[in-house]
């Protein structure tokens, strides 16, 4: 039974008002709200358990370690990784992608190629540009058509024996487009020996993830976009690949032995988890996974897809509205502009006065904005606790903005 009011009752923040109006939170692609069960786990950690992990003989340290490792196993199940030590805690997608680009440095040479797509977040562009600077490799980009859909025939032409990395997102944050990663991965495997990296920042909150079925080498996502605290995230990597590659940060926890003559590294996952981790956050990420499992992926997806379809239908009734990626397969996001309204933030400010939180601007995807020759869009993005009534308020707000600005 999918009971939206019961789900909403788990998020205290949804009861608050903004500018004298009930909060309508539609900025979930930036970060989701956190259910009370997750907040309670954070509170309980700091009031009952707080200690450093993997270091102490004392009881609290051991209990904290057990809880964090339990959370790792929950995440392992959540993404269907083969081993729990293939789950590396990070502080988010950005750190995960930078980590991968850094540890691949020795694997790339001058004129090797890295393929990304036009739909990438800056986090999946800049670390690869930095890797190109370090190695002399070249960045290649899968183009999009006017609907924002990746041109896979062009991808075929980009693939060659020079391709050493293919890194794409499963869902675009700016447009919500679901990319055909199954096809991208199959083509890459067939034609190259490239490492395959999937940015799951916008898919993990919505989809059932199965990294073994997907057959990617790396999968990264952020906890804070899927009901967990800020500063949490996961890097999944295949065992044999992580074992063969060098560490990222050096420091405590990631060593087996350390002397002035040299250091040997710990096994997985600790080799990639230097320093004191975000113990409370990582435990709470496990609670966020529990929250999503209790509702069920199918229910989450069905509800969010219905919201998206409803929002798109209602918004398209407004004359002069343009929805980017309107004809593409999308999830969780509707991104639009109003004819004659040049600045998306003006619309965002009017919506904010009505209690509606959306994101405006380039959404850290300037290449997409340049492609459509715009400075930004208004982006409404959905989570499992959003309602059809909230979409009605959004649409009313957009109509009002059109009247005031158009
Ligand atoms: N997108 C958005 O409003 P971090 O900031 O490390 O948690 O995630 C970075 C990131 C990487 N890839 C994709 C596809 C993303 O959507 C994001 C974050 C947010 O769209 C904040 S810019």
């Amino acid at each position: 039974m999918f009971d939206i009011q019961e789900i909403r009752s788990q998020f205290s923040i949804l009861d608050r008002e903004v500018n004298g109006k009930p909060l309508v939170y539609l900025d979930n692609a930036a970060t989701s709200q956190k259910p009370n069960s997750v907040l309670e786990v954070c509170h309980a950690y700091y009031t009952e358990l707080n200690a450093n992990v993997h270091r102490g003989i004392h009881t609290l340290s051991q209990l904290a370690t057990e809880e964090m490792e339990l959370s790792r196993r929950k995440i392992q199940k959540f993404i269907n990784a083969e081993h729990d030590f293939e789950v590396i805690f990070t502080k988010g997608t950005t750190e995960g992608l930078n980590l991968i680009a850094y540890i691949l440095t020795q694997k790339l040479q001058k004129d090797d190629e890295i393929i990304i797509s036009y739909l990438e977040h800056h986090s999946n562009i800049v670390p690869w540009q930095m890797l190109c600077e370090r190695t002399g490799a070249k960045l290649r980009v899968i183009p999009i058509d006017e609907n924002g859909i990746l041109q896979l025939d062009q991808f075929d032409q980009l693939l060659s024996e020079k391709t050493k990395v293919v890194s794409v997102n499963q869902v675009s944050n700016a447009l919500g487009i679901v990319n055909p990663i199954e096809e991208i991965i199959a083509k890459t495997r067939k034609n190259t020996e490239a490492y395959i990296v999937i940015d799951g920042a916008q898919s993990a909150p919505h989809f059932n993830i199965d990294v073994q079925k997907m057959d990617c080498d790396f999968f990264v996502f952020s906890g804070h976009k899927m009901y967990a605290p800020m500063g949490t995230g996961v890097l999944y990597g295949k065992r044999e690949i992580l074992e063969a590659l060098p560490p990222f940060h050096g420091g405590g926890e990631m060593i087996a032995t350390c002397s002035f003559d040299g250091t040997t590294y710990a096994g997985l996952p600790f080799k990639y988890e230097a320093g004191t981790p975000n113990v409370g956050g990582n435990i709470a990420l496990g609670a966020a996974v529990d929250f999503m499992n209790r509702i069920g992926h199918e229910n989450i997806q069905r509800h969010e897809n219905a919201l998206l379809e409803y929002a798109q239908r209602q918004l398209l009734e407004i004359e002069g509205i343009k929805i980017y990626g309107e004809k593409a397969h999308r999830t969780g996001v509707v991104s639009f502009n109003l004819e004659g309204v040049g600045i998306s933030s003006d619309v965002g400010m009017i919506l904010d006065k009505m209690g509606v939180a959306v994101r405006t601007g380039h959404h850290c995807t300037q290449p997409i904005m340049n492609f459509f020759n715009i400075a930004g869009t208004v982006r409404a993005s959905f989570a499992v606790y959003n309602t059809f009534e909230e979409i009605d308020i959004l649409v009313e707000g957009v109509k009002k903005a059109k009247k005031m600005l158009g």
Side-chain angles (χ1 to χ4, degrees):
M1 246 288 274
F2 184 84
D3 181 347
I4 186 71
Q5 288 314 326
E6 195 280 324
I7 290 171
R8 287 180 72 79
S9 73
Q10 298 180 48
F11 291 81
S12 301
I13 197 169
L14 297 179
D15 292 335
R16 70 159 289 170
E17 295 193 340
V18 167
N19 293 320
K21 302 279 176 9
L23 167 66
V24 174
Y25 187 78
L26 298 175
D27 194 17
N28 295 287
T31 196
S32 71
Q33 299 302 342
K34 328 300 174 197
N36 296 336
S37 56
V38 167
L39 301 178
E40 280 156 17
V41 166
C42 291
H43 188 256
Y45 170 74
Y46 283 109
T47 50
E48 293 166 27
L49 216 60
N50 180 46
N52 213 323
V53 283
H54 303 127
R55 286 162 169 82
I57 188 68
H58 64 81
T59 302
L60 285 191
S61 175
Q62 289 188 13
L63 289 173
T65 302
E66 273 167 32
E67 288 293 319
M68 198 174 96
E69 292 310 313
L70 174 65
S71 176
R72 197 189 303 275
R73 290 194 293 279
K74 286 180 186 173
I75 297 159
Q76 174 201 354
K77 250 181 120 183
F78 180 72
I79 59 171
N80 195 30
E82 191 178 353
H83 306 287
D84 58 357
F85 51 74
E86 293 174 320
V87 171
I88 313 291
F89 287 117
T90 65
K91 62 186 168 73
T93 306
T94 305
E95 187 180 48
L97 290 167
N98 277 277
L99 184 159
I100 299 164
Y102 179 83
I103 65 176
L104 289 178
T105 304
Q106 299 304 325
K107 296 284 174 190
L108 274 85
Q109 292 174 356
K110 191 169 177 302
D111 296 331
D112 282 343
E113 294 183 351
I114 298 163
I115 302 179
I116 58 170
S117 90
Y118 227 105
L119 292 181
E120 300 314 316
H121 186 278
H122 296 164
S123 293
N124 201 23
I125 302 173
V126 186
W128 303 116
Q129 289 174 328
M130 291 159 74
L131 177 57
C132 288
E133 276 171 27
R134 286 196 296 277
T135 60
K138 298 205 167 60
L139 199 61
R140 299 279 179 251
V141 183
I142 311 170
I144 47 175
D145 68 10
E146 69 284 359
N147 291 309
I149 297 170
L150 294 185
Q151 298 297 281
L152 283 201
D153 52 334
Q154 309 244 7
F155 176 56
D156 287 335
Q157 284 159 33
L158 291 176
L159 283 170
S160 76
E161 72 283 357
K162 289 187 189 163
T163 311
K164 293 291 153 33
V165 180
V166 173
S167 186
V168 292
N169 63 42
Q170 191 169 10
V171 175
S172 144
N173 68 309
L175 308 182
I177 291 178
V178 180
N179 291 315
I181 58 159
E182 300 77 12
E183 236 179 304
I184 291 175
I185 292 172
K187 282 173 187 285
T188 306
R189 287 272 180 251
K190 188 161 171 237
N191 297 300
T192 75
E193 296 197 341
Y195 293 98
I196 299 173
V197 184
I198 303 296
D199 172 350
Q202 299 293 346
S203 58
H206 306 292
F207 291 167
N208 192 17
I209 304 295
D210 184 336
V211 289
Q212 292 188 73
K213 193 161 159 226
M214 203 183 277
D215 190 26
C216 55
D217 296 316
F218 298 100
F219 186 90
V220 287
F221 59 98
S222 299
H224 70 92
K225 294 183 198 292
M226 45 167 275
Y227 311 105
M230 296 280 191
T232 60
V234 168
L235 159 76
Y236 156 82
K238 270 189 186 157
R239 171 192 195 156
E240 56 277 16
I241 292 177
L242 290 178
E243 279 178 349
L245 289 169
F248 177 42
H249 289 150
E253 190 67 20
M254 53 77 74
I255 59 106
T257 63
C258 177
S259 77
F260 292 121
D261 296 326
T263 292
T264 58
Y265 303 125
L268 297 176
F270 310 114
K271 175 177 155 187
Y272 290 105
E273 291 184 353
T276 299
N278 178 0
V279 181
N282 293 343
I283 295 172
L285 178 52
V289 166
D290 291 338
F291 166 77
M292 291 178 74
N293 287 341
R294 277 196 299 275
I295 300 175
H297 270 104
E298 275 169 28
N299 289 327
I300 293 174
Q301 238 181 297
R302 191 177 320 114
H303 180 64
E304 290 173 346
N305 286 345
L307 289 172
L308 174 59
E309 201 189 301
Y310 182 70
Q312 173 140 324
R313 207 158 7 98
Q314 300 299 311
L315 286 168
L316 280 175
E317 290 192 357
I318 301 172
E319 215 190 298
I321 198 163
K322 174 162 174 62
I323 295 179
Y324 299 91
E326 183 195 325
K327 298 202 165 64
H329 174 210
R330 304 206 317 282
T331 196
V333 167
V334 59
S335 204
F336 59 91
N337 274 323
L338 292 168
E339 196 178 41
V341 180
I343 305 175
S344 58
S345 57
D346 288 350
V347 180
M349 280 193 290
I350 291 170
L351 289 172
D352 182 53
K353 291 277 173 291
M354 299 174 69
V356 181
V358 293
R359 185 171 173 188
T360 60
H362 58 62
H363 316 297
C364 301
T365 56
Q366 285 188 1
I368 301 179
M369 303 301 131
N370 293 341
F371 177 85
F372 288 109
N373 201 17
I374 51 178
T377 72
V378 182
R379 182 188 72 178
S381 52
F382 313 117
V384 69
Y385 43 69
N386 289 126
T387 65
F388 295 95
E389 292 74 24
E390 289 182 310
I391 308 266
D392 291 338
I393 298 170
L394 166 75
V395 173
E396 274 320 298
V398 176
K399 284 182 182 162
K400 189 171 168 188
K402 180 176 152 70
K403 245 192 218 149
M404 290 171 73
L405 304 167

